[in-house]
Amino acid sequence: MLTTKWEPNKMLDTKLDAISDYLCDNGFDICDNCGQLTDEDEMMHAYAYNGYEHWGEPLHSECSVCYENYS
């Protein structure tokens, strides 16, 4: 007989991982300035740039509201 111990913290981590995976897969991101969950189309990203091309993961991402207020 298989017995499992219920671990509430592990269950919570699993649910949070599932929620974050869903949000990332469906085009949402978190603003690095204000922490607001924002649609990917409304985000401004700063990438590494060598003078010729952009590459890699964004170095900094912010929502359009922060971009307008702080630039």
Side-chain angles (χ1 to χ4, degrees):
M1 184 170 138
L2 178 64
T3 60
T4 58
K5 182 179 178 185
W6 184 65
E7 298 176 20
N9 291 337
K10 189 172 185 177
M11 291 282 289
L12 181 60
D13 290 342
T14 305
K15 286 182 181 181
L16 291 176
D17 288 341
I19 291 169
S20 64
D21 289 344
Y22 174 81
L23 292 173
C24 290
D25 291 344
N26 288 304
F28 289 92
D29 202 357
I30 295 176
C31 176
D32 290 342
N33 285 337
C34 65
Q36 181 176 351
L37 188 64
T38 307
D39 187 66
E40 185 67 35
D41 295 337
E42 298 176 7
M43 295 291 288
M44 306 297 174
H45 302 288
Y47 292 93
Y49 184 67
N50 66 0
Y52 300 101
E53 62 183 353
H54 300 283
W55 74 90
E57 292 291 319
L59 301 174
H60 183 76
S61 299
E62 60 187 5
C63 64
S64 57
V65 174
C66 290
Y67 180 78
E68 291 170 3
N69 290 336
Y70 297 114
S71 49

